[in-house]
Amino acid sequence: MNNITLSDIKKNNTSLIYHLLYEKEKLSKQEIAHQLHLSLPTVTQNLVFLEEEGLIMKEGLFESQVGRKAVAYTICPTARIGIGVEIQKKKIQILSLDLKGNIGEWTEHSLNYENTDGYYKETAYLVKDFILEHGFSTEKILGIGFAVQGLTSTDGTEIIYGKTLGYTGLNIDVFSQHLNFPCSFFHDAKCAARTELWFGNTLNHALYLSIGKHLGGALIMDGQIVMGKTGHCGAAEHMQLIPKGRKCYCGKSGCMETYCSMDALLNDEETQEIFFKALRNHSKAEVLRWQEYLEMLSSAINNLHMLLDCDIIIGGQISSYLTAEDIHTLQALCNEKAAFPYSEPFLFQSKYPEHTVAVGAVLPYIQKFLEQIRESEFF
């Protein structure tokens, strides 16, 4: 206690005030003083400082039946932003995210992935052009997260397993050397799970299963994404379902990827839109194919649930095409295969089907900034 200075106390008060405003959206200085048990002069002094730093702003007045109306204070969400980039085989998506997790701007470009300097320079150029086009101040940008279809190192500097696009061993330097901002790689499925976790405040223990062209998974425990000892925790896609089954891109056979991904469901050149339109119109061929697909998916989900005994969230590209009836049917199939009776459903559809991957690539930068304020490291 003897080492605590007046400066430490001031920083702590500033941090408390900022985070209270962040959580409560809008408060008067009197309400802040009451809730934090601080004097009005102390609150006023800190509000002035936070406003000068551009972190908060005045936003109208509160209604009052007597006396003067109190000024309403709120945080400035765009005081800092992050940029998210989702790298796909034939395109990239770029978006901006503010401190509240709101998408500001979004764009998409057709760009075939190539492991060449030209591709990395072109991607970096598109990111810089996005920043300039929308007038983002460079000093406000916290960092750029690149979401990739592969496992990444815990520090985000390297793709440690990326056979889908052939970029295993790729270092973040290929992008960061062209961009004057902190840059990191993030696994796309873990990005999607992080988005679900950010907006789903009650989520604590769950497996997020991302079903798109490829399959991916991420395990959430105690409200955190679990990386595991070597970084591939949650990689359900390579759990073997059928010994000596279909060949997987990983080099093995019978992986969940080859039976439960969208590629496994769709025929060559068939789109998701075409398949689900035919399915909803009760086309016999598509209905049969869907039933066979759900049988395999439910077998895999049952295995995962038997092991983890937690909620399982279905996300990814398939999520926006699913109905409540689909989830109910899949849950029923899982229950039939289960060794134990379940009185409550454990299977849920993602609530955030759009831009989840790119958003999740930004959130670590947002979370780090908020944590710096919480720990009074920013001031």
Side-chain angles (χ1 to χ4, degrees):
M1 292 294 291
N2 293 333
N3 294 326
I4 297 176
T5 66
L6 288 175
S7 177
D8 294 330
I9 294 172
K10 181 179 178 181
K11 289 179 180 180
N12 183 60
N13 289 338
T14 307
S15 172
L16 290 172
I17 291 170
Y18 180 84
H19 277 283
L20 182 64
L21 285 171
Y22 188 93
E23 293 169 5
K24 300 295 184 180
E25 300 290 345
K26 190 185 294 188
L27 293 171
S28 68
K29 68 174 66 176
Q30 291 83 359
E31 289 172 318
I32 295 170
H34 174 72
Q35 292 193 37
L36 294 178
H37 305 290
L38 296 173
S39 69
L40 207 53
T42 296
V43 171
T44 300
Q45 183 182 33
N46 281 281
L47 287 174
V48 169
F49 172 77
L50 286 168
E51 193 172 6
E52 289 175 346
E53 290 291 314
L55 293 173
I56 68 167
M57 58 187 177
K58 298 184 182 77
E59 191 173 74
L61 300 171
F62 285 109
E63 292 295 330
S64 176
Q65 295 181 350
V66 293
R68 297 174 59 184
K69 295 180 180 180
V71 174
Y73 290 89
T74 186
I75 73 155
C76 182
T78 57
R80 298 291 187 278
I81 64 165
I83 305 295
V85 182
E86 182 179 2
I87 304 292
Q88 298 184 33
K89 185 177 182 178
K90 296 183 178 181
K91 63 183 179 181
I92 66 168
Q93 296 183 14
I94 309 171
L95 58 74
S96 64
L97 202 72
D98 69 21
L99 293 174
K100 295 293 285 187
N102 301 311
I103 297 173
E105 304 292 341
W106 176 86
T107 189
E108 182 176 285
H109 298 277
S110 296
L111 187 64
N112 292 331
Y113 175 77
E114 296 177 355
N115 191 359
T116 63
D117 289 339
Y119 174 85
Y120 303 125
K121 287 179 181 177
E122 176 68 11
T123 301
Y125 168 79
L126 291 172
V127 173
K128 288 191 285 189
D129 187 60
F130 176 82
I131 292 170
L132 289 172
E133 178 185 353
H134 298 294
F136 298 130
S137 300
T138 55
E139 64 272 12
K140 289 186 177 182
I141 297 176
L142 297 170
I144 303 172
F146 290 86
V148 295
Q149 296 173 4
L151 303 178
T152 63
S153 60
T154 53
D155 62 3
T157 61
E158 184 182 353
I159 299 175
I160 59 177
Y161 185 91
K163 285 193 174 182
T164 51
L165 293 182
Y167 42 31
T168 299
L170 192 69
N171 194 281
I172 195 62
D173 289 347
V174 297
F175 291 118
S176 61
Q177 65 180 318
H178 305 297
L179 297 162
N180 295 320
F181 306 101
C183 297
S184 298
F185 284 133
F186 298 104
H187 182 207
D188 57 355
K190 289 182 172 60
C191 286
R194 189 179 292 114
T195 301
E196 198 80 22
L197 188 59
W198 174 274
F199 291 102
N201 295 328
T202 60
L203 198 59
N204 196 35
H205 301 305
L207 177 70
Y208 184 92
L209 198 59
S210 177
I211 304 178
K213 178 178 175 60
H214 295 289
L215 204 64
L219 182 62
I220 299 167
M221 295 294 287
D222 296 323
Q224 300 292 324
I225 305 293
V226 181
M227 294 296 290
K229 186 176 180 180
T230 58
H232 65 255
C233 182
E237 61 268 31
H238 297 300
M239 179 180 71
Q240 190 181 62
L241 279 183
I242 308 295
K244 298 182 181 180
R246 298 172 184 172
K247 193 75 173 179
C248 181
Y249 67 79
C250 72
K252 307 298 181 181
S253 298
C255 294
M256 186 177 171
E257 160 76 22
T258 65
Y259 293 94
C260 301
S261 66
M262 290 296 283
D263 262 8
L265 172 65
L266 304 177
N267 293 326
D268 292 342
E269 306 303 321
E270 183 181 34
T271 65
Q272 300 160 112
E273 290 80 6
I274 290 174
F275 171 80
F276 280 100
K277 183 177 181 180
L279 177 67
R280 301 312 176 197
N281 288 329
H282 307 290
S283 170
K284 186 175 180 179
E286 278 70 25
V287 168
L288 179 60
R289 200 178 349 148
W290 182 238
Q291 290 172 343
E292 292 173 346
Y293 174 80
L294 291 182
E295 279 291 340
M296 293 301 297
L297 182 58
S298 62
S299 292
I301 289 174
N302 177 59
N303 290 340
L304 292 165
H305 186 256
M306 289 288 289
L307 178 65
L308 298 171
D309 192 20
C310 66
D311 290 341
I312 295 178
I313 301 166
I314 304 296
Q317 294 170 346
I318 200 173
S319 180
S320 58
Y321 295 94
L322 296 178
T323 64
E325 184 179 353
D326 292 328
I327 297 296
H328 178 78
T329 299
L330 190 54
Q331 178 72 68
L333 289 169
C334 291
N335 290 348
E336 288 177 9
K337 295 174 172 64
F340 307 110
Y342 298 113
S343 59
E344 297 293 332
F346 60 79
L347 199 60
F348 301 93
Q349 186 176 358
S350 170
K351 298 178 180 178
Y352 311 96
E354 293 187 343
H355 309 307
T356 53
V357 172
V359 168
V362 184
L363 288 174
Y365 289 107
I366 303 296
Q367 290 167 326
K368 182 180 179 180
F369 178 76
L370 295 175
E371 189 61 28
Q372 286 177 333
I373 292 182
R374 187 179 298 279
E375 299 297 327
S376 303
E377 296 174 3
F378 174 80
F379 307 113

